[in-house]
Amino acid sequence: MLAKAVTTMVKRQLVLLSSSQVHGYELMQQPKPILIEFFKKNNVTEVIFVPYAKVNEDYDGYTKMMANAILSFELQTSVKGLHTFPDPVEAINQAHCIYIGGGNSFVLLKKLYDLNLVEVIRKRVLEDGIAYMGSSAGSNVATRSIQTTNDMPIIYPPTFDALNLVPFNINPHYFDADESSTHKGETREDRIKEFHLLNDVPVLGLREGTLLVVDDNRATLKGIVNARLFTRGESREYAPDSDLSFLLQQ
């Protein structure tokens, strides 16, 4: 009874994108209608962009690029880089919307821990109900752990445990094996199956062009292609507009 009660009380307003860039579209343009609806629903007038997944630390350039993409939504929404604030914790405590961009998930998570932001972001999103957007690495860190990222571990975070805004894992940029390829290494599916030999946590394979919209205890797949959900011993395809709310009940 207690677990159900806690689940009922959770506030979540999330958009988790496989990627901000999709083939055939300009930056952030494929999910643009969904993001506009998300911004309007949550009265987002300012976005705090977290650029820390950018390994070369061109945080100004990265923030400007994402700000220009969001400017195309024509919502008069401002974008400020978290790195420009003297006190990142205070900035997150005052934020109305957090957007964590893509890059390297290990670098990103380490930075979030170094700046004491993990628990702060989690509280702001799950208790205060502010809007959260993530793409690629930013979607990885929104989940239970970054263990199903595609990135190389070029730096050591103190733990793989992430923000845990949702109780499952994501594999962004998921793609199926090319049967005509001569490549003999492990496929993405092989890697996720290896993860499941040691971990019993669902993994949502988000192909580029897919995103998950979470509205409190409801999760809906959006996009232009299917996603693939892996659980221990099996997998299943889900089409856009599928209800994946059961994933929030882990």
Side-chain angles (χ1 to χ4, degrees):
M1 293 299 292
L2 179 59
K4 291 183 179 180
V6 171
T7 301
T8 301
M9 293 168 59
V10 168
K11 299 177 182 179
R12 274 181 288 227
Q13 294 296 317
L14 316 176
V15 172
L16 305 177
L17 297 89
S18 174
S19 60
S20 57
Q21 186 76 64
V22 178
H23 179 72
Y25 296 85
E26 296 296 324
L27 184 68
M28 299 289 280
Q29 296 306 294
Q30 179 267 319
K32 179 177 175 178
I34 296 168
L35 297 181
I36 289 175
E37 180 182 351
F38 180 75
F39 279 22
K40 288 182 176 179
K41 177 180 183 296
N42 290 285
N43 300 310
V44 175
T45 58
E46 181 182 273
V47 174
I48 299 299
F49 179 65
V50 182
Y52 298 138
K54 193 74 169 175
V55 180
N56 68 4
E57 296 189 357
D58 180 15
Y59 298 153
D60 287 337
Y62 193 14
T63 301
K64 182 178 180 180
M65 181 177 68
M66 300 312 301
N68 287 338
I70 291 174
L71 184 65
S72 73
F73 297 175
E74 299 181 348
L75 294 176
Q76 296 183 329
T77 302
S78 66
V79 178
K80 296 180 180 179
L82 183 59
H83 66 291
T84 64
F85 290 84
D87 186 341
V89 170
E90 179 62 20
I92 293 298
N93 278 326
Q94 299 300 320
H96 295 143
C97 177
I98 301 167
Y99 175 27
I100 301 185
N104 185 282
S105 298
F106 295 93
V107 170
L108 170 60
L109 189 60
K110 184 178 188 302
K111 190 73 169 181
L112 294 180
Y113 275 109
D114 287 348
L115 295 176
N116 298 313
L117 290 171
V118 171
E119 290 302 320
V120 178
I121 294 174
R122 179 173 167 78
K123 178 183 181 299
R124 293 289 284 134
V125 175
L126 295 186
E127 296 182 24
D128 299 340
I130 71 166
Y132 178 97
M133 292 173 52
S135 58
S136 190
S139 293
N140 268 328
V141 298
T143 68
R144 286 181 57 159
S145 78
I146 63 167
Q147 289 171 283
T148 53
T149 179
N150 307 308
D151 303 323
M152 289 187 176
I154 60 176
I155 200 169
Y156 293 105
T159 174
F160 294 146
D161 294 341
L163 297 173
N164 200 20
L165 305 180
V166 292
F168 54 90
N169 275 20
I170 283 176
N171 178 248
H173 308 280
Y174 177 79
F175 63 91
D176 300 288
D178 180 359
E179 295 183 359
S180 65
S181 174
T182 58
H183 175 67
K184 297 300 181 183
E186 290 82 355
T187 65
R188 193 69 57 79
E189 180 179 4
D190 290 335
R191 291 300 194 199
I192 295 173
K193 286 181 176 178
E194 289 175 347
F195 170 78
H196 276 143
L197 290 176
L198 301 176
N199 303 272
D200 191 10
V201 177
V203 179
L204 183 61
L206 288 178
R207 296 183 175 93
E208 292 184 350
T210 59
L211 59 153
L212 190 70
V213 178
V214 179
D215 183 358
D216 292 337
N217 289 321
R218 183 175 181 83
T220 307
L221 181 69
K222 295 290 185 179
I224 55 176
V225 292
N226 288 0
R228 189 172 181 186
L229 177 64
F230 293 86
T231 53
R232 179 174 277 182
E234 62 181 342
S235 66
R236 180 179 174 182
E237 293 281 325
Y238 286 91
D241 296 322
S242 292
D243 184 355
L244 301 183
S245 302
F246 62 89
L247 287 175
L248 301 175
Q249 308 304 317
Q250 303 297 315

